[in-house]
Amino acid sequence: MREAYMGREGSQNMNETRVRLLRLTAWLVASAMFVSLSSEAVVRAAQRRNQVAKVQPKTTVTETARQAKKTTVSGEYKAFWFSFYDYDEYRDAYKKNNAANFKKYFTKVVNRGKSLGMNRVIVQVRPFGDAIYKSKYFPWSKYISGKQGRSPGYDPLKIMVSVAHQKGMAIEAWVNPYRVTKGSTNYNKLSKNNPARKWHAKKSTRRNVLSYGGNLYYNPSKKAVQNLIVNGAKEIVQKYDVDGIHMDDYFYPSFTKKNVKKAFDAKEYNKSSYKKKKKSIYTYRRAQVNNLVKRMKKTIKKVDPNVTYGISPAGNIDNLTSKYSYYVDIYKWLNSTAYVDYICPQVYWGFKHPTAAFDKVTRRWVKAAKKKKVKLYIGIGVYRAGHNVGQNRAERKEWKSDTKVLKKQVQYARKYKVDGFAFFDYQDLKSKASRKAVNQLKTVLK
């Protein structure tokens, strides 16, 4: 309201009498008190101007802001993913990594999304047990600063939330729950304040982090790990005016028939009540994931009921429900309100795929979600458009040459009344290879 006061003051005649000035001062003070008491009316007026209410707190989002925060985005969910790879492009594009340049870059990101008809951006903020925001739990990510643990000197998530809301776009914070590294098991490469490195240094907490397949993962069976992940989500919702928390498909890694009962968190299973009651390790692992997912939603909603919580699992239901990977109890999630608000499977195949054709997989998801307990969005792989990729000759030709493939996928899923879409990812929405397909996609999103 400071600008309003200055405007009123500037409109006064400088030659007014001393008495009139004193009266005006008293009136302004009284007005300020009234405006403070009428903040809800002010917010409603701002919403009528199609502006998203935004806050930039030092520590937590205020209760008034939570009550006021209602994005103007409505109707079909049309999101795009902004992944950790996209931060690399930003750092390559600007010589100086600072708040002003990052704001310029992300403004272009949001403008590009809006030009295509998108209304939501899903920004990856915790790719490898690190953070693209100022966190008390996780170290700064190397993808924003160049080195894990090093601050970029500004808070990228704060900027992204502000820019998105100023442009009338909703924003979700995307976290990866268990992944710590990819292609390395060297703890010394982690920053000294990384919880994974700290836990590994002590014998009593060493199994909180597990090495498997050349990568490091947080152990899903450990309560301390689940607490860390849940608290990390809570921190985001408390500190930032995000519209959602989004988790991707990296849960348990893939095992084989030979090692499924011996590898990874088998030691925890063997000591558990599940083992004593002769319940399978598969049941045990699904229970660990279910517990985390359920706790995440409960915690997020307790802080702010208006923040959505969704998961984007792998697209093949058979893989999700197998004995050897993921351990995602997708039918339980889809038929209950206790776990998620939405599911967004990654259906990244063409209509010509020999075993997982887009239409076949989409229909199966629609059938699985028929009780409408949660929203169903379809994840579409823009990164394939214009490229010679696929399982057979027909699918490769489809992705390479059919400029309407993305458009047709949206049209097909709409026939089955899905609730929206998410597109992977930002880089591909502006690449030369996918340009023709994206231009066709735009015609059904705008």
Side-chain angles (χ1 to χ4, degrees):
M1 302 305 295
R2 181 169 175 266
E3 290 78 12
Y5 296 159
M6 292 174 65
R8 293 189 191 108
E9 290 173 351
S11 67
Q12 302 303 310
N13 189 323
M14 296 302 294
N15 294 320
E16 290 181 287
T17 65
R18 180 182 180 84
V19 172
R20 290 182 66 188
L21 285 172
L22 290 172
R23 287 175 179 171
L24 176 61
T25 301
W27 177 78
L28 287 172
V29 171
S31 296
M33 292 173 65
F34 175 78
V35 167
S36 177
L37 292 170
S38 305
S39 60
E40 291 185 1
V42 173
V43 168
R44 287 195 295 271
Q47 290 173 333
R48 285 194 294 271
R49 294 192 300 269
N50 292 323
Q51 295 176 338
V52 176
K54 62 185 180 66
V55 294
Q56 296 183 348
K58 290 183 178 180
T59 53
T60 61
V61 178
T62 65
E63 188 61 33
T64 300
R66 282 198 194 96
Q67 293 171 358
K69 181 172 70 66
K70 288 185 179 180
T71 176
T72 57
V73 174
S74 60
E76 188 177 61
Y77 181 104
K78 294 178 288 188
F80 66 100
W81 280 287
F82 181 84
S83 78
F84 68 89
Y85 295 113
D86 299 314
Y87 298 109
D88 284 338
E89 188 203 45
Y90 154 68
R91 290 191 297 111
D92 289 341
Y94 292 88
K95 291 182 179 180
K96 292 185 178 181
N97 181 8
N98 56 38
N101 283 337
F102 185 77
K103 184 176 181 179
K104 287 179 185 177
Y105 177 77
F106 196 72
T107 298
K108 292 179 182 178
V109 171
V110 172
N111 285 342
R112 177 60 177 164
K114 287 185 70 68
S115 74
L116 297 173
M118 310 288 183
N119 55 25
R120 186 172 295 250
V121 56
I122 304 169
V123 295
Q124 192 161 24
V125 298
R126 212 163 71 234
F128 291 92
D130 48 10
I132 311 285
Y133 57 94
K134 189 175 182 180
S135 174
K136 66 180 180 180
Y137 298 106
F138 300 96
W140 280 104
S141 174
K142 70 176 182 179
Y143 293 99
I144 192 61
S145 67
K147 182 180 180 180
Q148 189 177 93
R150 178 197 295 162
S151 170
Y154 59 95
D155 192 327
L157 183 52
K158 183 177 180 181
I159 291 172
M160 290 189 285
V161 169
S162 175
V163 169
H165 285 173
Q166 285 173 1
K167 296 287 183 177
M169 181 172 279
I171 183 169
E172 296 185 26
W174 164 16
V175 301
N176 182 287
Y178 298 125
R179 186 174 61 188
V180 178
T181 65
K182 184 178 182 181
S184 172
T185 57
N186 188 345
Y187 286 90
N188 292 327
K189 289 185 178 181
L190 303 176
S191 64
K192 291 183 179 179
N193 65 332
N194 191 311
R197 183 171 176 174
K198 289 182 177 180
W199 276 338
H200 180 72
K202 296 181 181 180
K203 187 176 180 180
S204 60
T205 56
R206 190 159 294 167
R207 285 195 56 79
N208 287 357
V209 188
L210 301 174
S211 173
Y212 182 79
N215 309 314
L216 294 177
Y217 301 87
Y218 282 118
N219 186 343
S221 294
K222 291 293 187 178
K223 186 176 181 179
V225 165
Q226 294 196 16
N227 289 342
L228 175 69
I229 297 167
V230 171
N231 286 334
K234 180 180 180 181
E235 176 184 49
I236 293 172
V237 179
Q238 286 179 326
K239 290 178 62 178
Y240 303 94
D241 194 16
V242 296
D243 299 287
I245 295 292
H246 177 94
M247 284 211 313
D248 56 23
D249 60 326
Y250 290 93
F251 292 99
Y252 274 84
S254 296
F255 305 111
T256 66
K257 191 173 182 178
K258 290 183 178 180
N259 73 2
V260 67
K261 296 181 180 180
K262 300 176 182 178
F264 212 60
D265 61 346
K267 286 186 178 180
E268 282 71 33
Y269 163 71
N270 288 328
K271 295 178 181 178
S272 73
S273 61
Y274 283 77
K275 175 71 171 180
K276 294 176 182 177
K277 294 178 181 179
K278 296 183 179 181
K279 293 183 180 180
S280 72
I281 194 169
Y282 324 121
T283 302
Y284 172 79
R285 285 173 172 161
R286 290 189 186 98
Q288 306 315 305
V289 175
N290 283 343
N291 187 50
L292 172 69
V293 171
K294 195 171 187 177
R295 285 185 62 193
M296 286 278 282
K297 182 175 182 181
K298 184 177 180 180
T299 299
I300 290 165
K301 297 297 183 180
K302 187 174 182 180
V303 176
D304 188 345
N306 295 315
V307 172
T308 60
Y309 172 51
I311 292 177
S312 179
N316 192 320
I317 292 179
D318 289 334
N319 289 342
L320 296 177
T321 56
S322 85
K323 295 180 178 180
Y324 305 111
S325 60
Y326 295 110
Y327 301 102
V328 169
D329 201 343
I330 198 64
Y331 292 109
K332 180 171 284 189
W333 298 358
L334 285 169
N335 291 288
S336 170
T337 59
Y339 295 91
V340 294
D341 294 310
Y342 71 79
I343 290 291
C344 182
Q346 299 170 26
V347 190
Y348 292 167
W349 304 289
F351 290 97
K352 304 295 185 180
H353 192 285
T355 58
F358 179 86
D359 49 348
K360 176 183 176 182
V361 174
T362 297
R363 289 197 306 271
R364 189 172 177 187
W365 278 101
V366 169
K367 184 178 180 180
K370 64 182 179 180
K371 290 188 177 180
K372 299 291 185 181
K373 294 286 186 178
V374 302
K375 299 286 187 181
L376 175 65
Y377 309 135
I378 298 297
I380 292 178
V382 181
Y383 71 98
R384 290 177 173 261
H387 295 278
N388 188 35
V389 294
Q391 287 295 104
N392 57 17
R393 184 177 179 181
E395 191 192 13
R396 288 192 291 271
K397 183 179 179 181
E398 178 183 25
W399 283 116
K400 178 67 175 177
S401 305
D402 187 353
T403 60
K404 295 183 179 180
V405 60
L406 302 176
K407 175 181 178 178
K408 288 190 289 189
Q409 289 184 342
V410 169
Q411 291 174 322
Y412 184 86
R414 278 177 176 166
K415 288 196 303 182
Y416 289 88
K417 303 187 185 307
V418 302
D419 299 294
F421 304 89
F423 301 91
F424 190 83
D425 85 328
Y426 168 67
Q427 291 296 324
D428 303 288
L429 288 170
K430 65 185 187 69
S431 74
K432 184 177 180 180
S434 63
R435 183 178 301 160
K436 290 181 180 180
V438 169
N439 285 339
Q440 286 293 321
L441 171 66
K442 180 169 63 174
T443 65
V444 290
L445 296 182
K446 292 285 282 185

